[in-house]
Amino acid sequence: MSEKNETGVWQGFKAFLMRGNVIDLAVAVVIGAAFTNIVNAVVKGMINPLVGAFGTQNLDSYSSCLKGSCRGTGDAATGVMILWGSVLGATLQFVITAAVVYFLMVMPMARYLARVEARRKAKEGAQEIIEISELEVLKEIRDELVAQRGSGRGQGPEYGER
């Protein structure tokens, strides 16, 4: 019973791994991690120096003391320290990441999908025009045959007369 159960578990696990969603998600995580390194490098190499022109390059050093004087670090610290520089740095990283993803991935993909959809609709429209014109031609042929039958009734053995 345990061999059969193990086989079923392994087959289920294999089926789970072979689903497209799991593979796509794994690729997205790996790409996301690599992309995070790029964004961190841009922030550290470009954004922080720009901010450093007005203050310090390390945004983490920006802070304010909320209560009393802030002295010391760790358990020996006094006062209530607000580390708004860290929040600002994380916000900048988020905004940069979102902008890069939008402008380099989402927007081009949306334009591409819009072009593909426009081509598909144009192709459907052309197909409908062809079908409509074929239908009109068939109607004209039918009308012409009906007209010929109507005008040729008394002229001989054609059209079912014997």
Side-chain angles (χ1 to χ4, degrees):
M1 179 80 177
S2 65
E3 284 182 30
K4 188 175 185 180
N5 194 14
E6 276 185 36
T7 304
V9 169
W10 281 112
Q11 287 177 346
F13 183 66
K14 181 180 175 185
F16 170 74
L17 288 179
M18 297 313 279
R19 281 189 206 153
N21 295 346
V22 174
I23 306 278
D24 292 343
L25 182 59
V27 169
V29 168
V30 170
I31 296 292
F35 188 70
T36 299
N37 290 334
I38 292 170
V39 171
N40 288 339
V42 168
V43 169
K44 185 178 178 182
M46 292 172 50
I47 303 298
N48 285 351
L50 289 174
V51 172
F54 302 105
T56 179
Q57 287 189 8
N58 186 4
L59 293 176
D60 293 338
S61 66
Y62 288 112
S63 62
S64 298
C65 195
L66 186 64
K67 181 179 178 183
S69 63
C70 295
R71 294 187 185 154
T73 58
D75 292 336
T78 60
V80 178
M81 181 80 66
I82 303 293
L83 303 173
W84 59 270
S86 298
V87 174
L88 180 62
T91 302
L92 283 173
Q93 283 186 333
F94 172 76
V95 169
I96 291 169
T97 303
V100 169
V101 166
Y102 180 75
F103 290 114
L104 295 182
M105 295 177 189
V106 173
M107 207 165 78
M109 183 58 80
R111 285 182 181 167
Y112 170 75
L113 291 176
R115 282 195 308 256
V116 168
E117 184 65 19
R119 285 185 197 142
R120 187 188 64 77
K121 284 184 179 180
K123 190 175 181 181
E124 275 183 8
Q127 185 66 27
E128 287 177 11
I129 290 171
I130 291 171
E131 289 175 2
I132 290 172
S133 62
E134 285 178 358
L135 185 61
E136 289 176 4
V137 169
L138 289 172
K139 284 180 181 178
E140 288 177 10
I141 292 171
R142 179 201 63 203
D143 293 343
E144 188 66 32
L145 288 172
V146 167
Q148 285 178 359
R149 273 190 192 167
S151 65
R153 282 212 180 235
Q155 295 182 2
E158 294 177 349
Y159 304 113
E161 295 179 15
R162 290 187 193 201

